[in-house]
Amino acid sequence: MKELLNNHIAIVYGDIGLTNFWSTFQTNVKYIIFAATLWFMIREWKSKAVGKMIMAFIVGAILFVLTLNPETVLQPIGQKLMQMIGAS
C-alpha cells in the first residue's frame, strides 16, 4: 500500500508540476506574508480599527521573521507533512 501511495504521489506531483512546489513556497512565503499583512493593515486602517491594525502588524512581523530562514521553521514542517502522507 505504501509503494502504491508513493507512486501515486510521485505521478500526481510530476503531472501537475508540484515537484518543486515546497521549495518554491519556502523561498517566496515571506513575500506572501508581507503582502497579506500590508493588505490587512490597510483594510483595518480604512475601517478605523487601529487596534486590529496594530495586531496585524505584530502577527505579520512575527511570521515574517520566522520565515526569513526557511530551514528553521518551514523545512521541518514540510518534511513532517511528506512523512505523514507517506511520500518520503
Side-chain angles (χ1 to χ4, degrees):
M1 185 68 173
K2 187 174 181 179
E3 288 178 25
L4 182 65
L5 183 61
N6 284 342
N7 188 29
H8 176 70
I9 289 170
I11 291 171
V12 169
Y13 277 12
D15 285 348
I16 62 175
L18 290 178
T19 51
N20 292 326
F21 172 75
W22 188 249
S23 60
T24 305
F25 178 76
Q26 285 178 327
T27 56
N28 295 321
V29 71
K30 57 184 164 266
Y31 305 118
I32 296 167
I33 289 174
F34 179 76
T37 301
L38 191 62
W39 173 79
F40 192 73
M41 285 176 58
I42 291 170
R43 191 180 80 165
E44 295 303 324
W45 178 261
K46 286 181 180 178
S47 67
K48 308 283 190 241
V50 179
K52 285 184 184 179
M53 184 193 72
I54 293 170
M55 288 305 297
F57 175 76
I58 292 170
V59 170
I62 291 170
L63 288 174
F64 185 79
V65 168
L66 285 175
T67 57
L68 280 177
N69 186 3
E71 287 83 21
T72 58
V73 177
L74 294 177
Q75 199 169 38
I77 292 172
Q79 289 172 349
K80 191 63 172 174
L81 285 173
M82 294 302 268
Q83 286 176 355
M84 286 173 59
I85 62 173
S88 60

